[in-house]
């Protein structure tokens, strides 16, 4: 096929450049995935580069899969050998080959976030702390943060003015690292940091990997962190070509380590680096791009660009100010229903409601349930994090790694095998005495202080494990059948029946069957892979890998929406303190404000056809005040130029986008959320100023629509609950 027929001039330049070091600044919707994939096809077809000499890094496994499918189409064959993966997946691949130099077995298990937290909690409890206490939570956060920076527990220096309890955190961290190694397990951070350690300390291994690749390509380069960048550099030799694609205006993950300076300083890190800017947008209308361009222009730390499109002008961006959360939600609901009635071929899946934080979904969930509107929230419990899936994966893990204490502890009493707290303590003591893992202790030590009934049940478990391990070596047996028989033998299907809710039983069993089918599909799709590769793949899944289509409205945070697009985008909760987020502004100052603005820019540029921005002036618990319109609204050219011109509650939008000024500003009070979620037609809202014919002036602090009453704090300081009727109250101010 003709690789270049759908490329514009700048895209063609980016695909065919001969530069050794290339930075492509790809604006939102500018076709970066097409450019990156076409670049790889160009290297293979036109330059003649062997496919296994090319490696590409992507932000998610899903993105890697999509690029691989495109590449198959471009090259017109299915057997594509270009390696496309996330940094963590690549690290796992490197370690499977070379981790033995660090004293680990190549059959190591990868712990996900829940497994990691569980192990740290166990250690914290053993050191006398509460399992769910503040110190334990802080230790989990501390260890995660320092490991993301590539720091080592045994060389870490306690800081004189560091975290409270930092010395104890480091002791927990050291024991955590000892246990990981004893269990032949790694956490996510290890996949990159230990790869770096090997490449730095073992020259022969470094040179082996450096000479495997002539071309390294990186997608979403703006989200690269210091460790990932270090890994890239260690994989390069003097003739390696580095090609990176990203958009500094979409750097939204600095809170988890992304370093915006990496993409900004690329041209100074590599001499003679070439920069190509893609500005033509193929996603959004002119109105949407105009708002996005005006917004992001307020950032100083960026590579300047101005998105444009050949598409129609479209519909103006709509900004809606409301007096309460319920009215904001109801207004969005009404717009969606209007679209459904008036737009041909409309589907709920064309709509996404974006917000700054997960807690903001609750009013939408209540309203949509009340109206019987289908919706789905991304960022909830993901498939691989569901209890029954975690249980089955733990059973599968001990088939390949009998030193995995976390997995064994999870399933040893699921179903019940008489392993209470005392029995588990006896087992741990026996394990320490014999220098075995928990599984090895049960398997190989005869007297471990357990009841005969428990011993018998554990023996049955060991027999099932041994039998299944033997079957896994037999290529003639269907893997999915072997696994299903194993889950049956260990009693997990019977365990599911102990759930009281029959619907829950059905869901759990169905999820287990989906997992087994997924394993079968994976092995069919990747015949060269092993069973352990599947377990690794399951551990490396991210939330964004599981975004699926269906006929429902999508609710998600803006962070989750990165890389996605919808016909109709509603950005909800555009309130000062919420979006931009107060904590981000306080913690990082100007840099925090710029990242919040980039986040809003990402939200705007998810929209293909229409963009709606909404806010409520109601009291907000998170910011402990009433809502003021976000600065981002006016910065995008969609409202008055200065926030101070708005009154949080009484600023009434005018046709020109201005507001009606109100001199008196009412104090804010905590709202009663119990009964007003669907009170869009109730005559009063929290923070309304009222005049009672007997008690005088006051402010509404809570409303109770179903009882037709309101709670008022009067200027005298007295609080009363009264009937909300014109008979007792004068007309609202």
């Amino acid at each position: 096929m003709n690789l270049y027929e759908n490329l514009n001039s700048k895209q063609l330049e980016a695909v065919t450049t001969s530069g050794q070091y290339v930075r492509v600044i790809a604006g939102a919707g500018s076709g970066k995935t097409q450019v990156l994939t076409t670049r790889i096809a160009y290297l293979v077809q036109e330059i003649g580069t062997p496919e296994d000499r090319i490696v590409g890094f992507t932000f998610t496994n899903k993105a890697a899969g999509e690029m691989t499918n495109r590449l198959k189409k471009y090259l017109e064959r299915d057997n594509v050998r270009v390696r496309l993966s996330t940094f963590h997946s690549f690290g796992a691949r490197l370690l499977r080959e070379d981790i033995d130099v660090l004293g680990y077995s190549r059959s190591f298990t990868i712990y996900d976030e829940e497994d990691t937290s569980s192990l740290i909690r166990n250690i914290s409890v053993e050191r006398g702390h509460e399992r769910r206490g503040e110190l334990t939570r802080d230790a989990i956060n501390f260890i995660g943060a320092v490991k993301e920076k590539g720091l080592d527990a045994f060389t870490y220096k306690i800081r004189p003015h560091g975290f409270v309890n930092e010395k104890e955190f480091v002791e927990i961290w050291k024991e955590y690292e000892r246990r990981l190694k004893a269990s032949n397990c790694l956490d996510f951070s290890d996949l990159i940091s230990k790869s770096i350690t090997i490449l730095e300390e073992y020259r022969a291994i470094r040179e082996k990997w450096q000479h495997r690749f002539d071309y390294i390509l990186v997608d979403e380069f703006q989200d690269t962190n210091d460790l990932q960048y270090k890994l890239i550099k260690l994989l390069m030799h003097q003739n390696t070509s580095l090609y990176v694609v990203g958009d500094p205006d979409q750097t939204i993950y600095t809170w988890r380590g992304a370093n915006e300076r990496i993409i900004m300083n690329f041209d100074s890190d590599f001499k003679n680096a070439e920069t190509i800017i893609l500005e033509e947008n193929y996603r959004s209308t002119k109105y949407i791009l105009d708002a996005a361009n005006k917004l992001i222009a307020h950032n100083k730390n960026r590579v300047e660009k101005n998105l444009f499109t050949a598409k129609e002008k479209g519909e103006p961006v709509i900004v809606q100010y409301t007096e309460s959360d319920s009215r904001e939600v109801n207004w969005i609901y009404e717009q969606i229903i209007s679209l459904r009635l008036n737009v041909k071929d409309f589907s709920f899946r064309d709509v996404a409601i974006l917000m700054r934080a997960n807690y903001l979904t609750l009013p939408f969930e209540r309203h949509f349930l009340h109206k019987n509107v289908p919706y789905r929230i991304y960022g909830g419990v993901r498939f691989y994090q569901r209890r029954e899936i975690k249980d089955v994966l733990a059973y599968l893990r001990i088939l390949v790694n009998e030193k995995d204490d976390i997995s064994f502890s999870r399933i040893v009493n699921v179903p019940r095998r008489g392993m209470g707290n005392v029995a588990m303590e006896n087992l741990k003591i026996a394990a320490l005495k014999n220098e075995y893992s928990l599984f090895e202790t049960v398997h190989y030590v005869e007297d471990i202080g357990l009841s005969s009934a428990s011993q018998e049940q554990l023996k049955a478990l060991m027999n099932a494990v041994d039998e299944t391990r033997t079957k896994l070596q037999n290529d003639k047996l269907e893997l999915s059948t072997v696994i299903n028989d194993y889950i049956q033998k260990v009693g997990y299907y019977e365990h599911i029946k102990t759930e009281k809710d029959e619907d829950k039983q059905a869901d759990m069993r169905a999820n287990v069957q989906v997992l087994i089918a997924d394993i079968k599909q994976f092995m069919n799709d990747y015949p060269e892979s092993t069973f352990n590769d599947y377990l690794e793949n399951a551990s490396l899944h991210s939330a964004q890998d599981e975004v699926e289509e269906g006929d429902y409205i999508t609710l998600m945070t803006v962070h989750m929406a990165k890389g996605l697009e919808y016909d109709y985008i509603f950005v909800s909760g555009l309130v000062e303190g919420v979006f931009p987020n107060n904590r981000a502004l306080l913690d990082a100052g100007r840099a925090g404000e710029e990242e919040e603005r980039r986040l809003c820019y990402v939200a705007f540029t998810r929209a293909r056809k229409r963009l709606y921005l909404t806010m409520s002036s109601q009291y907000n618990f998170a910011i402990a005040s009433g809502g003021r319109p976000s600065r981002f609204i006016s910065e995008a050219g969609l409202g008055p130029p200065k926030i101070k011109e708005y009154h949080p509650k009484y600023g009434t939008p005018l046709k020109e986008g201005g507001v009606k000024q109100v001199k008196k500003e009412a104090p804010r009070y905590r709202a009663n959320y119990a009964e007003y979620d669907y009170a869009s037609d109730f005559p009063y809202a929290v923070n309304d100023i009222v005049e009672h014919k007997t008690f005088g002036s006051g402010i509404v602090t809570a409303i109770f629509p179903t009882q037709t009453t309101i709670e008022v704090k009067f200027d005298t300081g007295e609080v009363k609950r009264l009937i909300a009727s014109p008979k007792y109250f004068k007309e609202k101010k």
Side-chain angles (χ1 to χ4, degrees):
M1 65 176 294
N2 184 351
L3 292 176
Y4 316 124
E5 60 182 348
N6 295 319
L7 300 179
N8 63 41
S9 60
K10 277 294 180 182
Q11 289 175 329
L12 181 62
E13 180 186 350
V15 165
T16 60
T17 177
S18 59
Q20 182 177 1
Y21 308 116
V22 181
R23 174 179 63 172
V24 179
I25 303 296
S30 63
K32 73 174 179 61
T33 303
Q34 180 184 13
V35 167
L36 193 57
T37 313
T38 308
R39 170 69 175 178
I40 296 172
Y42 168 80
L43 293 175
V44 174
Q45 285 193 341
E46 303 296 330
I47 304 300
T49 308
E51 292 175 38
D52 57 4
R53 307 289 298 173
I54 302 170
V55 62
F57 294 100
T58 63
F59 191 65
T60 64
N61 291 306
K62 182 180 180 183
E66 290 174 351
M67 286 181 60
T68 299
N69 289 333
R70 285 199 189 197
L71 200 53
K72 290 177 181 178
K73 181 181 176 182
Y74 292 163
L75 298 178
E76 298 179 329
R77 50 188 166 81
D78 287 334
N79 59 331
V80 173
R81 291 180 294 113
V82 175
R83 179 76 183 194
L84 297 170
S85 69
T86 64
F87 283 99
H88 290 99
S89 295
F90 181 88
R93 174 194 177 196
L94 186 151
L95 295 173
R96 292 284 178 209
E97 191 170 321
D98 290 311
I99 199 172
D100 50 348
V101 298
L102 299 183
Y104 289 79
S105 163
R106 296 180 184 182
S107 62
F108 59 82
T109 296
I110 301 171
Y111 277 176
D112 64 17
E113 188 175 345
E114 183 179 335
D115 301 322
T116 295
S117 297
S118 180
L119 178 55
I120 295 172
R121 287 192 182 101
N122 290 347
I123 296 167
S124 184
V125 168
E126 291 169 13
R127 294 181 64 85
H129 309 300
E130 295 181 8
R131 186 172 187 82
R132 303 281 176 180
E134 184 177 355
L135 186 140
T136 302
R137 290 196 304 272
D138 289 346
I140 292 171
N141 293 332
F142 171 81
I143 293 171
V146 290
K147 292 203 68 173
E148 277 296 317
K149 296 177 181 178
L151 301 178
D152 178 72
F154 301 99
T155 59
Y156 184 85
K157 302 295 184 184
I158 306 294
R159 298 167 299 172
H161 304 290
F163 293 106
V164 176
N165 298 315
E166 186 168 313
K167 184 176 181 180
E168 180 63 7
F169 294 163
V170 174
E171 292 305 312
I172 294 173
W173 181 18
K174 289 178 181 177
E175 183 58 24
Y176 168 73
E177 296 295 342
R178 294 187 192 103
R179 301 254 183 117
L180 279 179
K181 189 164 187 177
S183 300
N184 197 38
C185 295
L186 305 176
D187 60 25
F188 266 29
S189 297
D190 289 330
L191 298 177
I192 297 177
S193 62
K194 292 194 183 305
S195 295
I196 289 172
T197 298
I198 291 172
L199 294 174
E200 284 184 325
E201 297 182 5
Y202 297 89
R203 180 178 176 180
I205 296 175
R206 180 173 69 251
E207 291 179 348
K208 175 186 70 173
W209 283 94
Q210 285 178 340
H211 288 91
R212 282 189 180 178
F213 307 116
D214 296 323
Y215 292 90
I216 298 175
L217 302 96
V218 187
D219 190 18
E220 303 286 6
F221 191 62
Q222 76 280 350
D223 292 322
T224 304
N225 64 33
D226 292 336
L227 283 186
Q228 292 164 345
Y229 194 38
K230 192 172 187 178
L231 177 62
I232 291 169
K233 288 184 172 181
L234 285 167
L235 291 171
M236 297 175 65
H237 56 77
Q238 63 180 2
N239 295 319
T240 303
S241 171
L242 179 60
Y243 185 96
V244 303
V245 181
D247 182 5
D249 288 339
Q250 296 186 70
T251 304
I252 61 173
Y253 290 106
T254 61
W255 53 275
R256 69 181 189 193
N259 184 349
E260 60 188 310
R261 292 188 297 275
I262 292 174
I263 190 170
M264 294 296 293
N265 296 339
F266 185 84
D267 54 352
S268 58
D269 285 353
F270 296 96
K271 292 182 179 179
N272 303 316
E274 180 182 2
T275 295
I276 301 169
I277 301 177
L278 306 181
E279 296 178 291
E280 184 169 1
N281 177 284
Y282 294 92
R283 176 188 301 158
S284 306
T285 66
K286 291 180 179 179
Y287 271 121
I288 294 169
L289 294 183
D290 183 53
N293 285 329
K294 287 179 179 177
L295 171 69
I296 202 62
H298 287 79
N299 274 9
K300 305 299 182 187
N301 188 31
R302 61 189 296 260
V303 176
E304 190 170 342
K305 65 179 185 305
N306 202 55
L307 296 180
F308 67 92
T309 183
K311 295 179 72 173
E312 71 278 4
K313 200 169 185 179
E315 298 289 331
V317 176
I318 296 175
V319 182
Q320 179 69 15
Y321 305 94
T322 61
E323 295 181 346
S324 67
D325 291 349
S326 61
R327 292 179 182 179
E328 180 181 8
V329 170
N330 190 63
W331 183 85
I332 291 174
Y333 162 77
E334 288 174 348
Q335 302 310 302
I336 294 171
I337 297 304
S338 177
L339 289 169
R340 190 184 188 194
L341 294 174
N342 297 300
V343 176
K344 185 180 179 181
D345 298 327
F346 173 85
S347 171
F348 284 128
R349 66 173 167 266
D350 299 330
V351 178
I353 302 171
L354 309 184
M355 52 209 73
R356 179 60 180 82
N358 275 317
Y359 74 88
L360 297 167
T361 66
L362 183 57
F364 290 98
E365 293 184 67
R366 289 178 175 172
H367 198 74
F368 290 166
L369 284 170
H370 180 67
K371 298 291 187 180
N372 199 27
V373 173
Y375 71 92
R376 183 166 180 175
I377 298 174
Y378 289 124
V381 180
R382 308 198 303 270
F383 180 78
Y384 287 105
Q385 298 299 320
R386 292 169 189 167
R387 174 163 56 92
E388 61 273 19
I389 299 304
K390 291 282 290 182
D391 289 343
V392 173
L393 286 173
Y395 269 111
L396 298 180
R397 280 174 168 179
I398 62 172
L399 291 172
V400 298
N401 182 10
E402 59 186 31
K403 293 183 178 295
D404 184 353
D405 283 350
I406 291 295
S407 292
F408 184 74
S409 298
R410 183 180 184 96
I411 54 86
V412 67
N413 215 32
V414 181
R416 295 190 181 280
R417 299 185 176 94
M419 296 298 294
N421 292 336
V422 174
M424 284 301 295
E425 281 303 311
N426 289 339
L427 177 56
K428 289 177 182 178
I429 291 169
L432 287 171
K433 181 179 178 181
N434 291 277
E435 297 184 351
Y436 276 157
S437 69
L438 299 179
F439 180 92
E440 290 170 329
T441 303
V442 172
H443 208 318
Y444 306 118
V445 178
E446 292 187 8
D447 184 13
I448 51 178
L450 302 179
S451 68
S452 57
S454 292
Q455 293 259 39
E456 199 63 33
Q457 292 187 68
L458 289 176
K459 183 179 179 181
L461 172 60
M462 296 299 111
N463 290 338
V465 170
D466 288 341
E467 181 183 332
T468 304
R469 281 176 173 170
T470 301
K471 288 181 178 179
L472 288 174
Q473 304 304 314
N474 189 340
D475 294 337
K476 295 180 180 179
L477 295 176
E478 176 65 48
L479 179 60
S480 57
T481 302
V482 171
I483 293 172
N484 192 66
D485 289 346
Y486 173 53
I487 300 306
Q488 182 76 48
K489 281 188 173 67
V490 298
Y492 195 77
Y493 287 130
E494 287 299 315
H495 167 70
I496 289 175
K497 293 178 181 177
T498 62
E499 279 287 335
K500 295 180 181 179
D501 187 331
E502 291 186 4
D503 289 338
K504 178 65 174 174
Q505 285 184 31
D507 287 345
M508 291 176 69
R509 189 177 182 93
N511 283 335
V512 173
Q513 293 300 312
V514 168
L515 176 68
I516 294 173
D518 190 50
I519 295 173
K520 181 178 180 179
Q521 186 65 49
F522 179 86
M523 301 306 290
N524 288 338
D525 290 345
Y526 306 99
E528 75 286 355
S529 297
T530 65
F531 176 54
N532 203 28
D533 289 333
Y534 177 83
L535 297 179
E536 175 183 301
N537 184 67
S539 296
L540 293 171
H541 250 70
S542 72
Q544 286 176 315
D545 292 326
E546 296 183 17
V547 174
E548 301 170 355
E549 287 194 354
D551 194 21
Y552 42 72
I553 297 166
T554 299
L555 303 176
M556 65 170 80
T557 64
V558 183
H559 284 102
M560 274 294 297
K562 179 75 184 304
L564 304 177
E565 56 186 66
Y566 294 84
D567 284 352
Y568 309 103
I569 288 287
F570 293 83
V571 185
S572 172
L574 276 165
V575 172
E576 280 293 308
V578 175
F579 201 177
N581 178 268
N582 262 343
R583 184 172 178 180
L585 301 180
L586 291 171
D587 289 351
R590 176 76 185 185
E593 180 185 2
E594 292 214 349
E595 177 144 357
E596 289 293 297
R597 190 174 287 111
R598 291 194 295 266
L599 191 61
C600 192
Y601 174 80
V602 167
F604 285 13
T605 54
R606 299 311 93 197
R608 287 191 287 246
K609 294 181 178 179
R610 296 188 190 179
L611 175 63
Y612 304 80
L613 312 179
T614 69
M615 62 82 61
S616 160
S617 59
Q618 181 177 298
Y619 182 95
N620 184 292
F621 288 119
I623 60 175
S625 74
R628 293 184 297 139
S630 169
R631 68 192 69 181
F632 298 151
I633 296 174
S634 60
E635 288 179 356
L638 301 169
K642 296 179 182 178
I643 298 171
K644 66 182 181 181
E645 293 181 6
Y646 285 85
H647 184 283
K649 171 67 179 68
Y650 303 100
T652 306
L654 302 177
K655 290 182 180 179
E656 296 77 20
V659 293
K660 179 182 178 181
Q661 297 285 333
V662 177
K663 292 181 180 179
K664 182 178 179 182
E665 181 167 337
R668 313 283 177 262
Y669 294 97
R670 203 172 273 271
N672 185 317
Y673 276 73
E675 300 186 56
Y676 72 92
D677 280 325
Y678 306 119
S680 58
D681 58 347
F682 193 66
Y684 293 97
V686 172
N687 286 334
D688 273 352
I689 295 177
V690 295
E691 181 78 22
H692 192 271
K693 293 180 179 179
T694 302
F695 302 111
S697 296
I699 184 169
V700 177
T701 55
I703 65 174
F704 305 89
T706 58
Q707 300 171 31
T708 325
T709 60
I710 57 177
E711 181 184 87
V712 180
K713 182 169 184 178
F714 290 98
D715 292 347
T716 60
E718 193 174 11
V719 178
K720 290 184 178 290
R721 186 163 169 174
L722 304 163
I723 296 173
S725 168
K727 181 178 178 181
Y728 305 106
F729 287 93
K730 297 179 181 178
E731 186 178 350
K732 281 197 303 179
K733 293 185 180 179

